[in-house]
Amino acid sequence: MTTKPYSYRLFARSDYSAFWALFTDNLVNLMVLSGVCQFVFQMPAEIVYGRIVPGAAIAIIAGVAVYALMAKRIAEKTGRDVTALPYGISTPVMFVYLFGVIGPIYWATQDALLAWQVGIGAGFMGGIVAALGAIVGPFLKRVTPRAGMLGTLCGIALVFIGAVPLSQIFENPIIGFASLVIILWGLIGRFRLPFNIPAGLLAIGVGTFCAILIGQSSLEIDGIGFYPPLPYLGDMIAGVQYLFANPELFLVLVPVQIYNFIETMNNVESAEAAGDHYPVAVCQVTDGVGTMIGAVFGSPFPTTVYIGHPAYKRLEAHAGYIIGVAGVIAFAAFFGFLAFINGLIPVAAAAPVLVFVSVSLITNTAFSVRTEHMAAVAIAIMPHVSSFLVTKWGSLHNALRSSGVEGLPALGDPQLTAAMLMEGAHYDGHLALAQGAILTGLIWGAIVAGVIDARFRNAAGFAFAAAAMSSLGIIHAASLQLPQLDGITLGYLITGSFLFLYPLVAPKEDLVNRIIVPDEPDLMPQKQQPV
């Protein structure tokens, strides 16, 4: 009797719904970056749609090819269905590159071509940093509690992937609600739709139909043409040379790429929590190399494993959904259909799909970590709330300036900060938490999880590591700096010292037995052996 070998299908019917969710995520990013480059940085359409967008498509194709093959290999090795890792342009890092690298060059020189050249040079150098994350990634994954890694992802999901699209739905409720109810019905409620129509497709279709009825959808065909992806080695080298001539730009570039490879590590952990095990080092190299390939072909923006694997796993997707996204994005990029899609599909029609991805990630985290570790998840979320506030305060300040308000003090001005504090807006504290929020969330999630498990040495190690990073400006600072002993660094040293010394002097019974806090559920592990 012979056993039939397991054969993994790259494409499954369940890939359709997952396709629309991931496609929407990538599409929104491409819409945002192309709009900012064209209308804020005054880049001509030839650069935006002829170079940046096709380059981004090449980067996505390169990464998707690796992750599809990786899913197939792991599935055939384990003999079970595997969901490929979602992949695309990193949303948080995209904004840093837009307004921390490209923007300052454009505003200082008013030279859109130079800003793009520096952007792709920074993308290439950043890809090298991201790939080097493979050296430390496996170690970090081994010592970092799952609650810390998933908790900081929940923070990003809550405020940027969930809250922002939800606000866009309420800005345009006729379109947004019509699309949102389909998502609630088919993806969150998990009811079968008529004719097995994918919920994401139906949601976007219904929203777009409503937009056409009320005149908020347009058919722009002017930009349709053929835009082949071409290497821009000369421009990229010029951008790298500018970076080395102005090394202060590396102070922005290096920390954000550290953030990027940490994000990859966290997202791989999220996939593992959902049941699919991927080698974190290979994923970090893939993301770094994908970013470098994109830079060579004209895209400044780093790529990464996306947040949301648990959502696609829940939809029972295989690898076809990421292959489909890569194919459609490439077709739209190479033939100029991105501008057409921008006009046809309103943001409010696509936003509910992102809300689902956010909700699914947070829900999966609640089931993936031990109940007592939800305290660690909660504290890991908080720095991202600060990041959101600081981002929106900056947007408000820019909007006031753009509307003609004169004499505005800059954000961070001592008098303005004091006035904000009087109104209950703690700018300095939120700014410190916002700078390096993903690392800060991970660190505090790990510290809290370590304390809960009585693993005081592990918790102390994270506190001391945070002190070193704070001293160098990797977290809680706008840029890298020479080591310094500021208040936050000293605070981490005090925290780490206490956590390290406490188990050495505490009575053994205090380390083993836990007290019950009134009006709180007793979720703490009892008889936990301290480490």
Side-chain angles (χ1 to χ4, degrees):
M1 181 177 178
T2 60
T3 302
K4 184 178 179 181
Y6 172 82
S7 178
Y8 177 70
R9 292 180 298 142
L10 287 175
F11 295 88
R13 184 173 183 82
S14 51
D15 280 306
Y16 293 128
S17 288
F19 163 83
W20 286 103
L22 182 62
F23 173 69
T24 300
D25 210 345
N26 275 277
L27 178 63
V28 169
N29 278 343
L30 289 172
M31 291 166 64
V32 169
L33 70 86
S34 59
V36 171
C37 287
Q38 187 172 12
F39 300 113
V40 178
F41 304 145
Q42 303 303 311
M43 291 186 185
E46 189 275 328
I47 289 181
V48 176
Y49 295 108
R51 302 183 186 184
I52 293 177
V53 173
I58 287 292
I60 291 171
I61 289 171
V64 163
V66 174
Y67 287 123
L69 290 174
M70 195 183 298
K72 185 175 186 298
R73 180 172 298 177
I74 292 172
E76 292 177 346
K77 180 179 179 180
T78 59
R80 59 179 182 81
D81 289 341
V82 170
T83 297
L85 290 168
Y87 177 79
I89 293 171
S90 171
T91 305
V93 178
M94 175 186 74
F95 283 106
V96 174
Y97 268 67
L98 281 170
F99 297 106
V101 178
I102 298 173
I105 300 300
Y106 173 75
W107 290 319
T109 65
Q110 297 297 305
D111 188 338
L113 177 62
L114 177 62
W116 168 71
Q117 290 174 330
V118 175
I120 60 175
F124 187 83
M125 298 301 296
I128 295 174
V129 176
L132 290 175
I135 298 173
V136 297
F139 169 75
L140 289 175
K141 185 174 181 295
R142 190 166 58 252
V143 301
T144 306
R146 175 171 288 181
M149 290 191 283
L150 297 187
T152 198
L153 288 184
C154 284
I156 299 172
L158 177 67
V159 297
F160 291 107
I161 301 176
V164 171
L166 189 61
S167 70
Q168 293 169 328
I169 292 169
F170 277 77
E171 286 174 348
N172 204 334
I174 295 176
I175 297 171
F177 277 49
S179 179
L180 178 61
V181 72
I182 304 297
I183 296 300
L184 296 177
W185 175 27
L187 292 183
I188 294 180
R190 303 198 73 181
F191 292 98
R192 186 176 69 85
L193 274 59
F195 309 108
N196 289 320
I197 299 174
L201 170 61
L202 183 61
I204 293 173
V206 168
T208 302
F209 179 72
C210 291
I212 293 172
L213 289 180
I214 63 178
Q216 294 191 22
S217 182
S218 61
L219 300 176
E220 300 288 343
I221 61 173
D222 295 343
I224 294 177
F226 181 52
Y227 302 94
L230 300 172
Y232 297 97
L233 283 172
D235 292 291
M236 190 192 74
I237 291 171
V240 171
Q241 290 173 336
Y242 189 95
L243 284 172
F244 279 99
N246 299 271
E248 66 274 8
L249 289 172
F250 282 102
L251 303 182
V252 176
L253 179 64
V254 173
V256 77
Q257 284 301 153
I258 293 174
Y259 168 106
N260 203 34
F261 79 67
I262 293 290
E263 182 182 19
T264 295
M265 182 186 75
N266 291 345
N267 291 335
V268 171
E269 176 67 18
S270 175
E272 185 169 322
D276 291 340
H277 303 272
Y278 287 93
V280 66
V282 176
C283 294
Q284 287 169 322
V285 170
T286 300
D287 290 356
V289 173
T291 298
M292 288 187 279
I293 291 172
V296 170
F297 282 87
S299 171
F301 303 106
T303 52
T304 186
V305 172
Y306 260 10
I307 289 176
H309 175 277
Y312 306 119
K313 183 71 174 178
R314 181 180 175 185
L315 294 173
E316 300 179 349
H318 285 201
Y321 81 107
I322 65 170
I323 297 172
V325 168
V328 173
I329 290 292
F331 178 81
F334 300 159
F335 291 94
F337 279 93
L338 184 63
F340 172 78
I341 294 173
N342 282 350
L344 178 64
I345 302 175
V347 172
V353 183
L354 301 182
V355 173
F356 161 71
V357 171
S358 172
V359 169
S360 183
L361 178 73
I362 296 169
T363 303
N364 185 77
T365 296
F367 284 101
S368 300
V369 302
R370 303 204 316 269
T371 305
E372 63 268 21
H373 276 184
M374 284 306 296
V377 172
I379 200 168
I381 289 173
M382 293 178 186
H384 298 282
V385 177
S386 294
S387 178
F388 181 77
L389 286 172
V390 170
T391 300
K392 294 309 173 185
W393 283 337
S395 299
L396 174 61
H397 188 273
N398 292 336
L400 290 171
R401 185 170 54 190
S402 300
S403 63
V405 178
E406 297 181 356
L408 280 175
L411 280 176
D413 176 83
Q415 288 185 330
L416 177 60
T417 300
M420 291 176 71
L421 184 61
M422 291 294 293
E423 296 296 326
H426 299 266
Y427 179 77
D428 281 343
H430 285 302
L431 180 64
L433 282 166
Q435 292 165 330
I438 192 170
L439 282 172
T440 303
L442 183 151
I443 287 163
W444 279 102
I447 290 173
V448 172
V451 170
I452 290 170
D453 292 341
R455 300 180 64 211
F456 290 100
R457 292 176 186 170
N458 183 275
F462 276 97
F464 288 134
M469 288 187 282
S470 175
S471 175
L472 295 170
I474 296 173
I475 56 176
H476 309 311
S479 62
L480 295 177
Q481 60 197 19
L482 293 175
Q484 62 182 37
L485 186 64
D486 56 15
I488 294 177
T489 301
L490 184 59
Y492 279 120
L493 290 174
I494 293 171
T495 301
S497 299
F498 172 81
L499 293 171
F500 183 80
L501 294 174
Y502 170 70
L504 300 179
V505 300
K508 184 176 180 181
E509 60 269 20
D510 288 352
L511 296 175
V512 175
N513 298 317
R514 307 298 179 91
I515 64 172
I516 297 176
V517 179
D519 300 322
E520 290 286 337
D522 185 18
L523 302 176
M524 299 299 294
Q526 297 297 321
K527 305 297 182 183
Q528 176 72 47
Q529 185 63 38
V531 177

